[in-house]
Amino acid sequence: MTDISKLGEFGLIHRLTKDIEPKNTSTKYGVGDDCAVLHYPQKEVLVTSDMLMEGIHFDLTYIDMRTLGYKSAMVNISDIFAMNGTPHQILVSIALGKRFKVEDLDEFYAGLREACAKWDIDVVGGDTTSSRTGLAISITCIGEAASEDVVYRNGAKETDLICVSGDLGASYMGLQILEREKAVYYSQIEEYNKKVRDAQAANDEAKLAALRAQRQTVEDFQPDFAGKEYLLDRQLKPEARGDIVDELRKANIKPTAMIDISDGLSSELLHICNQSHCGCRVYEKEIPIDYQTAVAAEQFNMNLTTCALNGGEDYELLFTVPIGDHEKIKNIKGIRQIGYITKESLGCMLSTRDDNEFQLEAQGWNPIRDEK
Amino acid sequence: MTDISKLGEFGLIHRLTKDIEPKNTSTKYGVGDDCAVLHYPQKEVLVTSDMLMEGIHFDLTYIDMRTLGYKSAMVNISDIFAMNGTPHQILVSIALGKRFKVEDLDEFYAGLREACAKWDIDVVGGDTTSSRTGLAISITCIGEAASEDVVYRNGAKETDLICVSGDLGASYMGLQILEREKAVYYSQIEEYNKKVRDAQAANDEAKLAALRAQRQTVEDFQPDFAGKEYLLDRQLKPEARGDIVDELRKANIKPTAMIDISDGLSSELLHICNQSHCGCRVYEKEIPIDYQTAVAAEQFNMNLTTCALNGGEDYELLFTVPIGDHEKIKNIKGIRQIGYITKESLGCMLSTRDDNEFQLEAQGWNPIRDEK
């Protein structure tokens, strides 16, 4: 493994960016100067920026650097799609502590570029620097949309249908599984260490020898992920739903409001309703949920609907369309109509399977509140 | 002081951005959706992104949150000017540990917006989140320039004059002074604590009482900054040189290459020469240095030219112009001609006051190499 200090800042940037070939006509100049130079004469420029902090947004005990690079890019790309736009450029800033090596950065960039390649996005700049402790990542994604195509959060109207792509809650259940396996691993290590301490205290050489022989087995802990692959993928390697944006465009449907689901369906629906000055009614039975999510919720003894409403990190699209588009929407695979927009005075309501109703609340994943 | 968790992420964003009124016609939509929406139909879009990490790029024992906000914005704005552009928008991402309060963020934003107001820049987005430990800041600045006006690093030609704005090395000397006063403060605290420990060990109650009476005096340490105000200002509150960009435009001068000096004159000159495939000759006696910088270098027993060449964080503009512009440049206040561009084979040379010559080397401030 190579120390980053060996390459220096400029050597490192060269290594990471030397074979980048811009694919977009809007990219006039990428990495290598004080700024990137972009060309957007016909359309609006969309810009979004997100920060991901180690120990808050990700845990390197269960995400590797390549997957982290992929996810960091994807969650930003998702914001461009959520405006009904097309992503074209990305800027990547990363600050690393001393424990990271050049090869770690290679992996991070490989994942990032894999995500960018999926949507023909050019890496045009950023910053590579040090951190005293953890890893910090900041991504800026730039895209375009014709002025008349941009979809904001504030355009939902009474009687509009509320639609959601894919299924919800899987990413959150994936996270629960990762956290559980991590806890199991650490408790096994702790148990082993306690046995060693006891044997040492008792001066029991035979026991110590036996424990030493077990050591590798304890360290080679294999988490139990069988049958949970989909949930883990949803948590670790989310996909931005540009395919849905394409499908809507092909079907000649322009959403009246749209947002990507990063903080949970409830929280995002409230954003749309607040900004559009309207209410909504959502049907519990229409919320799309994968069977693996349901099985995991059962195992964890969690309320499935709560997971789907508040789980977060789904990166699916939540949008509203005029009621007249009902038939057109019905024919698009992977989109579910989950309710409709109402007058503001009616509030934001969930109709449950047993015909009760509850007010929707934003209990979404909130990194500021979550910090212990 | 108010805990950030009391407001939550959305409450906090609202508090920080509620009275932001876009000033630029290119800002179609700012904070409040998945992306900012910008409108750049006539010109090229310039984008730059920088990350600032606590303990690496700044030390909160000697920069306050307001000044930090100001500096964070300014150093990014500087990159837009370095392309001969005009800055218009900024996105601010910030990750904070638990010790930070809402009022700290208010201060940071106040400084940031003061810097933005100076150049009519709109705050259009970003991210506010938590950090396990230190403060992390990432800023993206967006601006514009007509295609024919963009100045890259790679356009310098043989015989071009090398020019620099303002003076160099002051920011670096400011940092030395701050570090020295910090060391003095900590050594006084340490000395005081040692006396207390000794008195406690000796059970000397009278001595302990006397020490307790001194305590406030030790804590109220006043650093010795008299006559050093300029140097501290240069380090803590740098100014992006948009005024120089304006002056050049008014004088009808378009630089052939330009860069802002963040890593020291040597390092930046080498960037221009490498990318322009040329050499250079710079005259030591022409390097602009303020008298306070000279006095401080003397006090610290440092080589003044080395400070000016390698100090960094000056945020002055380094640029090249055709030799025919010599007379026009001469008449602009605050610009110094320090040498000229040569053939690549002649290398990058410094002519000293005593007619020696040295090869320029990039010993600039390198956050990756600097980390201990």
Side-chain angles (χ1 to χ4, degrees), chain A residues 28 33 38-39 44-45 153, chain B residues 33 38-39 44-45 153:
Chain A
K28 298 259 288 197
D33 215 299
L38 311 179
H39 189 63
E44 308 297 31
V45 187
R153 297 174 179 178
Chain B
D33 216 298
L38 311 180
H39 189 62
E44 308 298 31
V45 187
R153 297 175 178 177

Side-chain angles (χ1 to χ4, degrees), chain A residues 273-313:
Chain A
C273 290
N274 287 338
Q275 293 197 27
S276 301
H277 303 291
C278 59
C280 68
R281 174 167 296 264
V282 166
Y283 295 92
E284 184 185 16
K285 68 173 191 301
E286 301 301 339
I287 296 172
I289 292 171
D290 185 82
Y291 77 96
Q292 283 199 18
T293 309
V295 170
E298 180 71 24
Q299 285 179 357
F300 279 93
N301 203 16
M302 283 176 166
N303 181 294
L304 181 58
T305 301
T306 307
C307 294
L309 282 175
N310 300 322
E313 293 205 87

